[in-house]
Amino acid sequence: QVQLVESGGGSVQAGDSLRLSCAASGYTYRRYCMGWFRQAPGKEREGVALIDSDGGTSYADSVQGRFTISKDNAENTLYLQMNSLKPEDTAMYYCAATYWGGNWYCSGNVPMDYWGKGTLVTISS
């Protein structure tokens, strides 16, 4: 059974940084498309940053240059380094994953099979 457990959320001020972590277990495939999604109150969920098992990454335009996604394969942990945070980054952040066959683009538009329960990020101005 695949489990994704997020941590690292919190309340910080605009301009600060946070690093989110997602501990993955039970995922037995070597290939993957994994990433971070977020949902703010009253808004649709959006893909923030994704990474595939070949190291390819994709980012939402709103976070490009401020957020960095990475994965420690030895620890089976996904990270999201968030710098220069803005109030509009306030949301529940979810870790998600799916099998990646390598013949399509791992992006925020890809349907995910596995989801964590989320970690809340609140940015005050």
Side-chain angles (χ1 to χ4, degrees):
Q1 181 180 0
V2 176
Q3 285 193 322
L4 303 173
V5 180
E6 304 95 334
S7 62
S11 297
V12 298
Q13 294 190 327
D16 286 348
S17 298
L18 279 175
R19 188 176 80 155
L20 304 184
S21 299
C22 172
S25 62
Y27 187 85
T28 58
Y29 297 109
R30 189 170 59 86
R31 302 182 71 83
Y32 58 81
C33 170
M34 296 183 69
W36 294 93
F37 293 73
R38 68 185 179 186
Q39 187 165 22
K43 295 189 176 181
E44 291 188 356
R45 185 174 62 199
E46 66 168 336
V48 175
L50 287 97
I51 187 167
D52 63 47
S53 47
D54 285 350
T57 59
S58 67
Y59 295 92
D61 289 343
S62 58
V63 306
Q64 183 78 43
R66 298 188 298 122
F67 291 10
T68 302
I69 190 170
S70 61
K71 189 173 185 290
D72 184 330
N73 289 320
E75 296 293 329
N76 217 10
T77 301
L78 185 72
Y79 298 101
L80 184 67
Q81 178 66 44
M82 306 187 294
N83 299 329
S84 303
L85 284 161
K86 304 176 181 180
E88 51 263 42
D89 294 318
T90 295
M92 185 71 80
Y93 283 71
Y94 299 91
C95 175
T98 188
Y99 175 77
W100 181 62
N103 56 351
W104 42 266
Y105 186 46
C106 174
S107 72
N109 296 320
V110 173
M112 293 287 156
D113 292 316
Y114 308 105
W115 292 87
K117 294 184 178 181
T119 186
L120 182 62
V121 172
T122 304
I123 313 300
S124 58
S125 58

